[in-house]
Amino acid sequence: MEDSDQTQTPTRVTDPLTNAFGSLNDLAPELSSLQDLATRGSWRSILDKVSRARSFSLLTLPHHHLTYLSYNALALMKLRRFDDAAQELDSLEDFNSSSYQYESYPHAYPNRSGSMVPFSLRWLHAVLLLKMSNRQEGLDRLYLLLDFIREKLRQKIDEKLDLSASMWRKREVIVVNCLIGYHLSGKEFGVCLNLIRELLKDSADFDPVLVSKLGYIQMQIGDLEGATTSFNRVEEMLKSKKSDDGDGDGDGDVELRNLVNRNKVLVYLIGKDYVSAVREYEECIERNDSDVVAVNNKALCLMYLRDLSDGIKVLENALERVPTVALNETVVVNLCSMYELAYVNHSDIKRTLSNWIARVAPDDFDSSCTRI
């Protein structure tokens, strides 16, 4: 079975640069269409669209080529065509090359300077080797990217460009989260603690997600007291927010409340108190029925309580209710495992599920997770 928790890192990084150009289509031809296809997981259509744009010479400016290459490389990676993605990225020069500076093309970009390389390209270049199981060189690239981000962040802070600094701060968090995920998989807990504490030390604002992640890492090394302290800090923030704002039900309030619930569950699970864990997850789902972490883990807790029937219903209902959110490999693997435990004719049931997935899943969904 596969657990899901709030420490998971994002897998999609987009960089539309709409702050520099009025709209997506101002940035590059038909870019809004590419973005829509990416949102829907139509990666094969993206490859077709990029191919046509290149064939018909629709990409007339240097940054057009970089933008389309970003989407093409992302689509290839999503489809697990890593060698093709590597070939695409290897076609680029060094990111610091003058070829990728706006000022090298004064007639095309009057009064503009700096790099035209999308951040998404830097990100894809860093994580590709990790996808290809080249762990050490992939981690080296991620750390180089982190150094690059932090230098940019320092520049924006010195220049008092708060909005731009906030953007680079978010990118720093994304990369550190990714690094923590890979170091956690290698049980390198000391490295994880150093990364998260450095991030928290440099943060001007209290970030409940980061503090919760610190608590999760502390639990991994058996520091229950430290984890409890971290989780209590998050809960105190919620109480303070309630006091300041009243019992609001905005998106931010819901997210913070659910984070507190999920933190409590981690402590309950140490004592195998699955009943209390289910109760906390039910509160999360009641506030937000798209909280797939709570849905998935509630089903697992029910299974541990030997209530396979209700566990299956929880996952099936989520897939029916919010397929675009709940349809991921972790949920499907767990549902199929429960089918195997609960039903003699599980192959037929899984085949029905697989046929439904084939109709609604994005292109990058790994259908082998049904184990038919």
Side-chain angles (χ1 to χ4, degrees):
M1 298 295 175
E2 299 188 13
D3 282 320
S4 180
D5 58 64
Q6 62 264 39
T7 67
Q8 292 179 328
T9 59
T11 58
R12 180 181 299 166
V13 179
T14 56
D15 193 276
L17 299 179
T18 51
N19 59 321
F21 298 84
S23 69
L24 285 177
N25 288 339
D26 289 337
L27 173 58
E30 299 184 26
L31 191 57
S32 61
S33 175
L34 276 180
Q35 180 66 12
D36 179 60
L37 291 171
T39 301
R40 292 189 278 118
S42 300
W43 305 111
R44 294 186 183 89
S45 296
I46 285 178
L47 296 180
D48 291 341
K49 195 170 188 67
V50 171
S51 178
R52 287 198 302 272
R54 289 170 170 173
S55 298
F56 292 107
S57 301
L58 299 180
L59 310 179
T60 57
L61 294 173
H63 80 272
H64 290 171
H65 294 277
L66 290 173
T67 303
Y68 266 65
L69 191 147
S70 300
Y71 278 92
N72 208 54
L74 175 61
L76 289 168
M77 289 177 64
K78 287 290 186 178
L79 295 170
R80 291 174 284 280
R81 293 171 53 182
F82 301 124
D83 289 338
D84 291 336
Q87 185 175 355
E88 185 88 341
L89 292 174
D90 287 344
S91 69
L92 296 168
E93 300 177 37
D94 183 274
F95 287 149
N96 296 320
S97 167
S98 61
S99 300
Y100 302 141
Q101 299 292 318
Y102 287 114
E103 54 265 38
S104 297
Y105 311 92
H107 297 295
Y109 307 105
N111 304 318
R112 287 192 60 81
S113 62
S115 175
M116 64 178 71
V117 177
F119 177 73
S120 54
L121 258 186
R122 300 179 186 274
W123 167 263
L124 294 172
H125 179 260
V127 300
L128 176 60
L129 290 180
L130 291 166
K131 299 292 186 181
M132 300 175 75
S133 301
N134 189 342
R135 185 177 189 272
Q136 190 52 57
E137 192 173 348
L139 287 175
D140 289 344
R141 284 188 182 181
L142 272 178
Y143 277 107
L144 286 173
L145 179 58
L146 183 59
D147 290 341
F148 170 81
I149 290 170
R150 285 176 170 167
E151 178 59 30
K152 288 290 185 181
L153 179 58
R154 283 191 290 270
Q155 290 176 9
K156 302 308 178 184
I157 291 173
D158 290 343
E159 295 168 5
K160 301 187 185 306
L161 299 174
D162 294 342
L163 186 61
S164 186
S166 176
M167 177 184 68
W168 285 103
R169 170 65 177 174
K170 290 177 181 177
R171 291 169 173 175
E172 180 189 25
V173 172
I174 287 171
V175 174
V176 170
N177 276 335
C178 185
L179 283 165
I180 287 173
Y182 280 102
H183 285 302
L184 277 177
S185 67
K187 300 188 183 304
E188 297 161 342
F189 301 121
V191 178
C192 296
L193 283 174
N194 290 338
L195 284 167
I196 196 72
R197 283 172 173 160
E198 184 176 7
L199 202 57
L200 288 168
K201 178 189 68 176
D202 294 337
S203 176
D205 300 316
F206 178 84
D207 188 329
V209 175
L210 290 178
V211 176
S212 296
K213 186 181 290 291
L214 172 61
Y216 175 81
I217 296 169
Q218 289 167 320
M219 293 191 73
Q220 299 302 302
I221 62 174
D223 182 9
L224 182 57
E225 182 178 350
T228 301
T229 299
S230 297
F231 294 153
N232 285 343
R233 286 181 65 195
V234 178
E235 191 164 5
E236 285 301 319
M237 180 182 181
L238 175 60
K239 292 177 181 177
S240 175
K241 188 173 179 60
K242 283 183 179 179
S243 176
D244 293 340
D245 303 338
D247 293 329
D249 57 356
D251 291 342
D253 292 328
V254 169
E255 185 177 343
L256 181 55
R257 292 184 186 193
N258 283 13
L259 182 61
V260 168
N261 285 114
R262 294 200 299 268
N263 289 343
K264 289 179 179 179
V265 167
L266 294 176
V267 178
Y268 287 137
L269 292 180
I270 291 177
K272 299 188 184 327
D273 184 358
Y274 300 119
V275 172
S276 296
V278 167
R279 184 181 65 246
E280 298 294 335
Y281 284 135
E282 285 175 343
E283 288 186 15
C284 293
I285 297 167
E286 185 175 343
R287 292 190 202 101
N288 175 16
D289 63 0
S290 296
D291 188 339
V292 70
V293 173
V295 168
N296 179 76
N297 291 355
K298 176 189 173 184
L300 288 182
C301 289
L302 289 169
M303 185 194 69
Y304 297 143
L305 289 168
R306 301 182 181 180
D307 189 351
L308 276 173
S309 177
D310 277 358
I312 288 171
K313 287 178 183 177
V314 167
L315 296 183
E316 287 181 336
N317 289 342
L319 287 172
E320 181 179 354
R321 189 176 63 251
V322 284
T324 55
V325 177
L327 186 56
N328 63 58
E329 285 88 348
T330 298
V331 169
V332 173
V333 164
N334 289 336
L335 179 56
C336 288
S337 297
M338 292 182 193
Y339 284 154
E340 291 166 5
L341 292 171
Y343 304 122
V344 174
N345 63 333
H346 57 78
S347 294
D348 293 338
I349 298 172
K350 290 195 296 181
R351 191 169 290 107
T352 300
L353 174 64
S354 183
N355 291 338
W356 175 79
I357 288 172
R359 294 195 303 271
V360 302
D363 291 343
D364 57 314
F365 189 86
D366 184 2
S367 59
S368 67
C369 64
T370 56
R371 298 195 298 268
I372 292 178

